């Protein structure tokens, strides 16, 4: 099926290919018959027929009477919105199930059935995105839109975003000694904070923060990641995540219990990456 993604992100399939795939000709006689539709609104050649009309919903009829045109290197082509293809197939399958199809129409219904079965495994939108390569463009565009609302254009002044209780509870469930007046912490606290908090922001945000706030040659980051998050969306999401994690730690008597609660709350499986790091370099 020749298909395309238009500049407005509409996925389309060429009109001619829909006709050919269903195995129905669309000559002058068929076009005249289509115009004689009982309900006044003409139907395309792949759906004309008095026995099909009762199964054509009005919404589909209206959509098909507003044809889409798009320009290719070969010229202007007529297209069908890809989202309508399952509805077109459904008309043929309902007519077949009702036993109103003529013998010469049974082959079309079989093709519609094959097409519907194929789309049951992969949605038509995802299928077109994969075939056209648009999924890479789509993913990149979506990431850019996320970063626009999460990453601030200018560095924000330092403001305390992680309350003391977050670290107090973290040290308790990890069975580490907590010194509230000391800013010195085990070196893996930062990695664990990434897993618990920053990794739960939208995909791509943490990588962008690492790019904007790289590790210096001395082994530390010059700023706090949250200084690069937006005030209206990025930091409120961060603070909500910090509060959620703190609540789970407060309800946990130990690290194992917290990990189960965290995995259940955020859909994770298995142990934290941090645990593997600590096994290799135990924290006293």
């Amino acid at each position: 099926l020749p298909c395309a993604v238009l500049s407005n992100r509409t996925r389309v399939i060429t009109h001619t290919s829909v006709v050919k795939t269903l195995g129905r000709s669309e000559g002058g006689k068929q076009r005249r018959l289509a115009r004689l539709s009982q309900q006044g609104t003409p139907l395309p050649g792949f759906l004309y027929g008095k026995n099909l009309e009762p199964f054509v919903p009005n919404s589909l009829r209206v959509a098909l009477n507003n044809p889409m045109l798009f320009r290719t290197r070969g010229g202007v082509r007529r297209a069908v919105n890809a989202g309508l293809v399952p509805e077109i197939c459904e008309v043929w399958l309902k007519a077949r199930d009702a036993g109103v199809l003529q013998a010469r129409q049974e082959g079309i219904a079989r093709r519609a059935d094959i097409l519907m079965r194929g789309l049951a495994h992969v949605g038509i939108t995802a299928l077109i995105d994969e075939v056209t390569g648009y999924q890479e463009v789509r993913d990149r565009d979506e990431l850019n839109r996320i970063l626009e609302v999460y990453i601030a254009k200018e560095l924000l002044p330092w403001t305390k975003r992680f309350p003391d209780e977050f670290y107090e509870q973290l040290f308790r469930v990890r069975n580490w000694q907590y010194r509230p007046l000391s800013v010195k912490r085990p070196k893996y606290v930062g990695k664990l904070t990434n897993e618990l908090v920053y990794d739960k922001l939208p995909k791509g945000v943490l990588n962008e923060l690492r790019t904007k706030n790289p590790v210096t040659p001395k082994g530390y980051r010059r700023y706090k990641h949250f200084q690069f998050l937006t005030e209206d969306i990025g930091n409120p999401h961060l603070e909500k995540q910090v509060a959620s994690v703190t609540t789970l730690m407060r309800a946990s008597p130990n690290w194992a219990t917290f990990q189960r609660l965290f995995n259940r709350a955020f859909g994770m499986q298995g142990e934290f990456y941090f645990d593997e790091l600590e096994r290799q370099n135990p924290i006293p």
Side-chain angles (χ1 to χ4, degrees):
L1 285 171
C3 56
V5 179
L6 307 187
S7 57
N8 63 359
R9 301 182 181 178
T10 301
R11 283 77 167 174
V12 298
I13 294 177
T14 62
H15 178 95
T16 302
S17 67
V18 175
V19 175
K20 290 182 177 179
T21 299
L22 291 175
R24 191 161 210 195
S25 61
E26 196 176 39
K29 179 181 178 181
Q30 286 76 16
R31 285 193 288 271
R32 286 195 300 273
L33 288 171
R35 286 196 294 270
L36 295 176
S37 138
Q38 290 179 338
Q39 297 188 25
T41 306
L43 289 168
F46 50 74
L47 281 182
Y48 75 80
K50 292 182 179 180
N51 58 343
L52 292 178
E53 285 205 37
F55 305 98
V56 181
N58 189 59
S59 58
L60 178 59
R61 183 187 296 271
V62 171
L64 292 174
N65 270 276
N66 290 280
M68 307 178 69
L69 301 177
F70 70 103
R71 187 179 301 279
T72 68
R73 293 177 182 176
V76 177
R77 305 187 71 175
R78 187 181 179 190
V80 174
N81 188 313
L84 299 177
V85 172
E87 293 187 52
I88 294 168
C89 293
E90 190 71 20
V91 171
W92 284 98
L93 298 181
K94 286 182 177 179
R96 181 195 62 183
D97 294 343
V100 300
L101 292 182
Q102 300 173 10
R104 56 189 174 83
Q105 295 176 316
E106 291 289 344
I108 301 174
R110 283 195 295 272
R111 293 184 180 91
D113 193 12
I114 292 172
L115 192 55
M116 284 289 278
R117 289 174 186 270
L119 296 178
H121 296 286
V122 181
I124 193 165
T125 296
L127 195 59
I128 290 178
D129 287 358
E130 180 180 354
V131 170
T132 61
Y134 182 68
Q135 62 183 2
E136 296 180 5
V137 177
R138 178 199 64 205
D139 293 345
R140 187 166 60 250
D141 287 348
E142 289 179 355
L143 174 59
N144 288 337
R145 288 199 297 274
I146 289 172
L147 295 182
E148 282 179 3
V149 298
Y150 270 83
I151 304 298
K153 290 181 171 53
E154 297 180 358
L155 182 71
L156 298 180
W158 185 90
T159 301
K160 191 170 185 176
R161 303 288 182 181
F162 287 78
D164 292 339
E165 188 186 7
F166 174 83
Y167 294 107
E168 182 180 351
Q169 294 295 338
L170 176 60
F171 277 56
R172 181 184 61 80
V173 295
R174 289 302 311 178
N175 199 27
W176 295 337
Q177 184 178 2
Y178 179 67
R179 298 183 177 91
L181 299 180
S182 174
V183 296
K184 188 175 182 180
R185 295 172 179 143
K187 64 180 181 178
Y188 288 125
V189 167
K191 295 181 182 297
L192 192 51
T193 301
N194 283 339
E195 287 196 66
L196 298 176
V197 179
Y198 286 103
D199 263 347
K200 298 310 166 194
L201 299 181
K203 184 178 179 181
V205 171
L206 179 55
N207 285 339
E208 183 69 10
L209 292 174
R210 286 168 170 159
T211 300
K212 286 185 169 293
N213 190 29
V215 176
T216 66
K218 293 184 178 180
Y220 66 90
R221 299 184 192 273
R222 185 166 298 172
Y223 306 103
K224 298 295 184 181
H225 278 341
F226 55 73
Q227 290 181 262
F228 293 89
L229 294 175
T230 53
E231 286 282 23
D232 56 339
I233 295 179
N235 271 307
H237 191 166
L238 175 95
E239 291 171 355
K240 181 180 179 181
Q241 180 65 20
V242 170
S244 298
V245 172
T246 303
T247 299
L248 292 177
M249 289 191 293
R250 192 186 303 130
S252 304
N254 51 50
W255 177 250
T257 301
F258 166 72
Q259 183 169 271
R260 286 196 299 271
L261 293 176
F262 185 89
N263 289 348
R264 187 181 307 161
F266 297 102
M268 293 180 59
Q269 293 183 351
E271 295 183 332
F272 292 104
Y273 171 66
F274 168 82
D275 289 334
E276 179 61 29
L277 292 175
E278 190 182 14
R279 275 193 290 270
Q280 298 173 13
N281 300 276
I283 295 176

